[in-house]
Amino acid sequence: MSAIPSSFASRTASSGALLRAVLGVDAALSLLTGILHLAAGSVLNELTQLGMPLVTESGLILVAYGAFVAWVTWVTWVARQATPSDRLVWLLIVAGNLGWTLAAAATLALVPATVTALGKAYLLFNMAYGLVMASLMFAGLRRRSAC
């Protein structure tokens, strides 16, 4: 008979899995969206009327953020190191996802009348995305600290 209950062992084994998975998804989607902004910025701007400077700069930010999160994910998931430190994950949540949400909200509040309905919907989607990612990372942190 094992001294460690199987439910505890399975919880401990998966305690960082949610966190690593969310980081992986966030990295992939951020990189893909950033590359889309940079490669098809003129088309995106034509559809949304957000302005080329905003489309280009947000693309650069997304690529840089996505590359950083991909590195963290690689170190923790692929290289099978420990799960990311709480401080690093909080940095990603606050500076990355919540900051992105606030920036999208500010942009939505300040957009000129020429921005299309699709442009406004795109900003709303970005706000929701940032909140969902931050919430999932927080859930992963809570699950990890509960083990």
Side-chain angles (χ1 to χ4, degrees):
M1 181 168 205
S2 173
I4 300 174
S6 62
S7 63
F8 175 79
S10 65
R11 263 193 8 225
T12 303
S14 67
S15 64
L18 174 63
L19 202 49
R20 286 190 298 267
V22 172
L23 288 170
V25 168
D26 197 20
L29 292 178
S30 295
L31 281 167
L32 288 172
T33 305
I35 291 168
L36 174 69
H37 279 225
L38 296 173
S42 59
V43 174
L44 184 60
N45 181 53
E46 190 172 315
L47 293 170
T48 62
Q49 293 298 307
L50 288 169
M52 275 308 290
L54 178 67
V55 171
T56 302
E57 290 167 12
S58 61
L60 292 170
I61 291 167
L62 284 165
V63 168
Y65 172 79
F68 176 71
V69 177
W71 174 77
V72 170
T73 304
W74 184 84
V75 167
T76 60
W77 194 356
V78 178
R80 300 232 179 243
Q81 303 279 329
T83 55
S85 73
D86 290 350
R87 180 171 285 136
L88 178 60
V89 173
W90 278 110
L91 173 68
L92 291 173
I93 289 171
V94 175
N97 290 302
L98 294 180
W100 188 258
T101 300
L102 292 173
T107 303
L108 184 61
L110 301 172
V111 293
T114 58
V115 172
T116 65
L118 183 60
K120 292 174 183 173
Y122 188 69
L123 291 170
L124 288 169
F125 173 80
N126 275 273
M127 291 166 56
Y129 173 84
L131 289 175
V132 168
M133 285 292 113
S135 297
L136 288 171
M137 287 181 191
F138 183 72
L141 280 171
R142 287 183 53 110
R143 179 183 288 178
R144 194 178 93 183
S145 64
C147 294

